[in-house]
């Protein structure tokens, strides 16, 4: 059971990383980051089973709340970006360059 | 019990109350609104700085946070730096900044509270929440620049990299937890010969590199500096960087003092050397002033990182000296740049041509700050860089000091390039007047004074302790 949970956590995290790197749509990248984070959360719960303390339960609640706040701010930024730049493709964000 | 915690947290609580008072001030509309804003910021921040001196030392909130004499000094520096940058904001000239003055101040003060908590956090819970508190307002602020399409692009980039770095931080916390079964920093067993502890340290250092713009993760810094409102740059360039590096100083305390794990120390040293080297190379090619200054922060962060891994009781004092000169030189420099006429398109170096004949005081102050950042003798920067090179030579031999020396050589090239443009005999090619109000003069004079005093006698910093 322990190893199944660890492998599931790794699978979810790597799916998130794959999505983060391959997608071009802004929201898909955000979902990729969230998936990565939730894989880490699952890993955390699994690890905390082997220690007999319940730090992980509280920790994960905090992490979820923090990410919710962060996503709210991110969506606000994307909305303004869509209104001003008229794009949701990450490749079109190329106004600022070194040269 | 609650009163006990209150005495420890009083400076932060005052700042939180101040930020909400500013938010309330933004709702109502009356004649002397800007005046009320300035007064509140001044009184609140000075009161908070006063109570930092009065707070007792020790652990609080279940040992999650700790106050020591050195965290007090770093917090005082952070507060003083933000006071100078906030008084710059309340004196801004663009209409957009005047309209949203209270919101800007609210966000910056919340970010300052996050920075102060990062410095004293001793546990991963507290650390993650404080880092978020420090960085989330900065995403919003960087999207409020003069050119909306550029600044919202910069905010989007900063948001993605910031969120990703938070995920890395959480992952490293989980890995450290999986080794010791505890989220406190003191329970980490550094002497463990295991690859997981190295992996956890690498993820932590990745987060640090994102937040301080160290070399492999530096790409957001130039875009954000170019597009963010120039009034925010004194804050953006100093407070996050210094609070995160000060946190790392206390985090690696147990590891470095007895050289428990040589591999991790090697990784930190490697990170700082490549930041110094590639950061210096990146600056050489730049012609845009703001991008140049943004990239020039990378070698500085690298040098601060070298100061962290030196196992010496005196290294703390030297790093605090480095922080002091870095804060005052940067704040003064950006205040000077803010006095110049507004530039929305590329802020190239030739926009500074002939500044000396137009306004000698401004030109001399800018040169003073730039020479201090480069590390010329008689300015604070010299002692900062010299001391860190000296202690790193005593601990690890000749390699690290030669990297610092190389960065100083290259930095003289690019900082003197700016000074050459200032003292050029060409006509100052902008018709607008230089906005040189009283409060800007006061801030610049304070910063020049401190930079030169630190250069003449760096031991003066001991007054703080």
């Amino acid at each position: 059971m322990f190893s199944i949970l660890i492998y599931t956590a790794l699978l979810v995290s790597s799916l998130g990383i794959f999505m983060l790197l391959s997608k071009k749509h802004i929201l898909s990248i955000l979902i990729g980051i969230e998936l990565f984070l939730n894989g880490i959360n699952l890993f955390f719960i699994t690890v905390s089973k082997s220690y007999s303390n319940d730090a992980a339960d509280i920790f994960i609640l905090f992490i979820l709340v923090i990410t919710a706040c962060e996503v709210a701010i991110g969506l606000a930024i994307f909305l303004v970006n869509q209104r001003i730049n008229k794009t949701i493709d990450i490749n079109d964000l190329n106004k600022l360059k070194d040269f | 019990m609650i009163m006990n915690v209150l005495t420890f947290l009083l400076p932060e609580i005052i700042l939180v109350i101040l930020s909400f008072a500013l938010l309330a001030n933004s709702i109502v509309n009356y004649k002397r609104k800007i005046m009320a804003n300035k007064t509140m910021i001044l009184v609140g921040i000075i009161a908070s700085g006063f109570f930092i001196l009065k707070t007792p030392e020790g652990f609080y909130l279940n040992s999650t946070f700790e106050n020591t004499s050195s965290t007090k000094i770093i917090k005082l520096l952070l507060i003083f730096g933000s006071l100078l940058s906030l008084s710059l904001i309340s004196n801004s000239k663009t209409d957009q900044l005047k309209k949203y003055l209270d919101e800007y101040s609210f966000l910056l003060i919340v970010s300052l509270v996050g920075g102060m908590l990062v410095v004293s956090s001793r546990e991963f819970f507290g650390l993650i929440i404080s880092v978020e508190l420090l960085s989330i307002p900065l995403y919003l602020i960087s999207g409020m620049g003069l050119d909306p399409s550029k600044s919202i692009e910069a905010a989007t980039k900063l948001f993605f990299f910031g969120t990703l770095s938070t995920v890395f931080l959480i992952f490293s916390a989980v890995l450290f937890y999986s080794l010791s079964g505890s989220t406190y920093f003191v329970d980490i067993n550094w002497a463990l010969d295991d690859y997981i502890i190295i992996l956890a340290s690498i993820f932590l250092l990745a987060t640090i590199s994102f937040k301080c713009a160290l070399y492999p993760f530096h790409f957001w810094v130039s875009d954000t500096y170019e597009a963010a409102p120039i009034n925010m740059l004194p804050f953006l360039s100093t407070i996050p960087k210094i609070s995160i590096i000060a946190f790392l100083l206390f985090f690696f305390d147990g590891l470095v003092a007895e050289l428990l794990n040589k591999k991790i120390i090697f990784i930190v040293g490697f990170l700082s050397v490549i930041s110094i080297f590639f950061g210096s190379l990146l600056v050489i090619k730049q012609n845009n002033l703001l991008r140049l200054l943004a990239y020039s922060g990378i070698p500085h962060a690298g040098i601060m990182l070298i100061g962290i891994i030196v196992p010496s009781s005196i290294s703390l004092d030297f790093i605090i000296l480095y922080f002091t000169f870095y804060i005052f030189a940067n704040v003064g420099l950006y205040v000077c740049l803010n006095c110049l006429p507004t530039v929305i398109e590329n802020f190239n170096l030739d926009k500074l041509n002939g500044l000396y004949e137009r306004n000698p005081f401004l030109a001399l102050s800018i040169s003073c700050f730039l020479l201090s950042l480069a590390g010329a003798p008689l300015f604070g920067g010299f002692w900062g860089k010299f001391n860190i090179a000296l202690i790193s030579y005593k601990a690890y031999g000749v390699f690290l000091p030669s990297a610092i020396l190389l960065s100083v050589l290259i930095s003289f090239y690019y900082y003197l390039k700016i000074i050459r443009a200032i003292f050029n005999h060409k006509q100052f090619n902008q018709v607008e007047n230089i906005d040189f109000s009283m409060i800007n003069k006061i801030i610049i004079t304070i910063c020049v004074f401190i930079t030169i005093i630190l250069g003449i006698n760096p031991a003066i910093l001991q007054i703080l302790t």
Side-chain angles (χ1 to χ4, degrees):
Chain A
M1 189 62 194
F2 185 75
S3 60
I4 292 174
L5 278 173
I6 290 277
Y7 285 128
T8 317
L10 275 178
L11 184 70
V12 173
S13 300
S14 35
L15 276 177
I17 296 172
F18 177 71
M19 205 163 164
L20 176 70
L21 295 176
S22 64
K23 296 285 179 179
K24 296 283 173 270
H25 194 289
I26 287 183
L27 290 176
S28 308
I29 296 173
L30 192 63
I31 293 171
I33 292 177
E34 291 297 302
L35 215 53
F36 185 20
L37 190 75
N38 283 327
I40 292 170
N41 280 348
L42 191 56
F43 182 65
F44 198 3
I45 292 180
T46 318
V47 166
S48 80
K49 289 291 172 202
S50 53
Y51 299 104
S52 57
N53 61 9
D54 49 1
D57 304 352
I58 309 161
F59 211 115
I60 284 169
L61 278 179
F62 266 88
I63 290 172
L64 288 178
V65 171
I66 289 171
T67 355
C69 301
E70 208 163 26
V71 167
I73 285 172
L75 289 177
I77 290 175
F78 298 160
L79 192 66
V80 179
N81 186 25
Q82 213 276 331
R83 276 187 196 151
I84 292 175
N85 287 341
K86 308 263 184 261
T87 176
I88 37 174
D89 193 333
I90 205 85
N91 285 344
D92 292 341
L93 294 178
N94 52 7
K95 286 202 185 65
L96 292 161
K97 274 189 218 149
D98 261 354
F99 301 105
Chain B
M1 175 62 193
I2 290 177
M3 288 312 289
N4 193 13
V5 173
L6 275 185
T7 53
F8 280 106
L9 274 173
L10 203 54
E12 283 89 351
I13 290 173
I14 290 176
L15 285 181
V16 171
I17 292 172
L18 167 67
S19 66
F20 281 99
L22 287 170
L23 204 58
N25 191 33
S26 73
I27 301 169
V28 289
N29 204 356
Y30 56 98
K31 220 182 214 174
R32 294 178 169 264
K33 196 172 160 183
I34 293 178
M35 197 65 206
N37 174 296
K38 281 184 192 176
T39 324
M40 273 198 281
I41 288 176
L42 197 67
V43 171
I45 289 191
I46 287 178
S48 165
F50 175 75
F51 280 110
I52 280 181
L53 293 173
K54 298 282 173 194
T55 45
E57 295 177 6
F59 289 96
Y60 53 102
L61 284 176
N62 283 335
S63 323
T64 308
F65 297 100
E66 188 193 12
N67 274 352
T68 58
S69 54
S70 39
T71 58
K72 276 187 192 175
I73 297 171
I74 293 168
K75 281 182 184 179
L76 266 184
L77 282 176
L78 292 181
I79 279 196
F80 204 63
S82 351
L83 177 63
L84 293 183
S85 30
L86 279 166
S87 45
L88 172 67
I89 292 168
S90 53
N91 195 41
S92 59
K93 49 187 173 176
T94 49
D95 290 336
Q96 191 202 1
L97 282 168
K98 271 187 185 144
K99 197 174 168 192
Y100 299 113
L101 190 62
D102 295 296
E103 283 88 343
Y104 276 113
S105 321
F106 164 74
L107 288 173
L108 285 188
I109 288 176
V110 169
S111 183
L112 170 67
V113 173
M116 285 163 68
L117 288 176
V118 166
V119 174
S120 50
S121 63
R122 295 290 176 270
E123 196 250 27
F124 279 111
F125 258 132
L127 175 69
I128 291 170
I129 294 172
S130 335
V131 167
E132 287 297 278
L133 205 58
L134 171 68
S135 46
I136 287 180
L138 298 182
Y139 308 153
L140 292 173
I141 287 168
S142 63
M144 291 173 165
L146 287 178
D147 185 350
S149 70
K150 270 186 182 175
S151 64
I152 201 70
E153 182 187 325
T156 313
K157 286 178 181 171
L158 181 58
F159 171 77
F160 273 129
F161 297 132
T163 315
L164 198 60
S165 75
T166 310
V167 176
F168 283 161
L169 179 62
I170 294 169
F171 192 43
S172 101
V174 173
L175 287 177
F176 276 121
Y177 174 83
S178 72
L179 285 171
S180 61
S182 153
T183 49
Y184 289 93
F185 297 162
V186 281
D187 293 331
I188 298 171
N189 182 8
W190 289 111
L192 208 64
D193 192 21
D194 194 348
Y195 66 92
I196 289 186
I197 197 164
I198 294 172
L199 192 67
S201 312
I202 287 176
F203 273 103
L204 186 83
L205 287 171
T207 312
I208 303 289
S209 320
F210 268 120
K211 300 284 181 201
C212 310
L214 286 167
Y215 172 64
F217 305 105
H218 63 279
F219 22 70
W220 60 271
V221 65
S222 55
D223 293 349
T224 308
Y225 276 47
E226 190 187 343
I230 197 169
N231 301 52
M232 306 302 151
L233 290 184
F235 191 91
L236 205 62
S237 64
T238 52
I239 307 297
K241 198 173 277 183
I242 281 175
S243 48
I244 295 270
I245 287 191
F247 147 73
L248 202 63
L249 181 71
F250 299 115
F251 182 76
F252 280 148
D253 204 18
L255 165 73
V256 171
E258 290 156 18
L259 290 179
L260 288 173
N261 197 331
K262 292 236 169 77
K263 285 177 193 161
I264 296 174
I265 291 179
F266 174 76
I267 291 170
V268 182
F270 182 70
L271 187 66
S272 55
V273 168
I274 58 168
S275 310
I276 288 174
F277 186 66
F278 288 103
S280 305
L281 288 187
L282 278 170
V283 194
I284 291 178
K285 294 182 285 182
Q286 295 300 326
N287 202 28
N288 185 327
L289 184 63
L290 292 174
R291 296 184 91 92
L292 191 154
L293 291 174
Y295 278 136
S296 77
I298 303 174
H300 279 289
I303 295 174
M304 288 183 215
L305 212 57
I306 284 183
I308 286 170
I309 53 169
V310 174
S312 160
S313 58
I314 207 166
S315 68
L316 183 69
D317 297 347
F318 289 164
I319 291 175
I320 287 174
L321 174 65
Y322 204 100
F323 286 166
T324 318
F325 110 79
Y326 188 73
I327 284 184
F328 287 106
N330 253 319
V331 169
L333 181 62
Y334 286 116
V335 173
C336 289
L337 293 186
N338 190 58
C339 294
L340 299 176
T342 320
V343 182
I344 296 180
E345 280 301 303
N346 284 333
F347 200 141
N348 282 336
L349 287 184
D350 53 12
K351 295 252 165 51
L352 288 173
N353 276 345
L355 181 65
Y356 177 68
E357 280 158 23
R358 186 71 173 272
N359 193 333
F361 177 71
L362 204 58
L364 287 174
S365 319
I366 292 181
S367 327
C368 168
F369 298 132
L370 288 175
L371 285 174
S372 176
L373 283 172
L378 284 184
F379 295 100
F382 172 72
W383 293 110
K385 290 185 177 178
F386 176 75
N387 286 336
I388 286 182
L390 198 67
I391 53 174
S392 66
Y393 171 69
K394 276 189 180 165
Y396 298 110
V398 80
F399 181 64
L400 292 177
S402 44
I404 295 179
L405 196 66
L406 184 71
S407 95
V408 171
L409 277 178
I410 302 175
S411 73
F412 265 106
Y413 167 71
Y414 52 72
Y415 284 129
L416 285 179
K417 207 163 74 175
I418 307 174
I419 295 178
R420 192 186 66 182
I422 291 171
F423 286 91
N424 213 331
H425 278 296
K426 282 177 193 159
Q427 192 70 32
F428 190 63
N429 51 6
Q430 290 174 49
V431 282
E432 277 182 76
N433 279 329
I434 292 176
D435 169 47
F436 207 43
S437 57
M438 197 61 206
I439 192 147
N440 287 355
K441 264 184 200 164
I442 293 172
I443 300 174
I444 293 171
T445 317
I446 291 174
C447 292
V448 168
F449 182 72
I450 291 177
T451 310
I452 291 177
I453 280 285
L454 275 182
I456 293 168
N457 183 12
I460 204 146
L461 209 62
Q462 282 170 351
I463 297 171
L464 282 174
T465 52

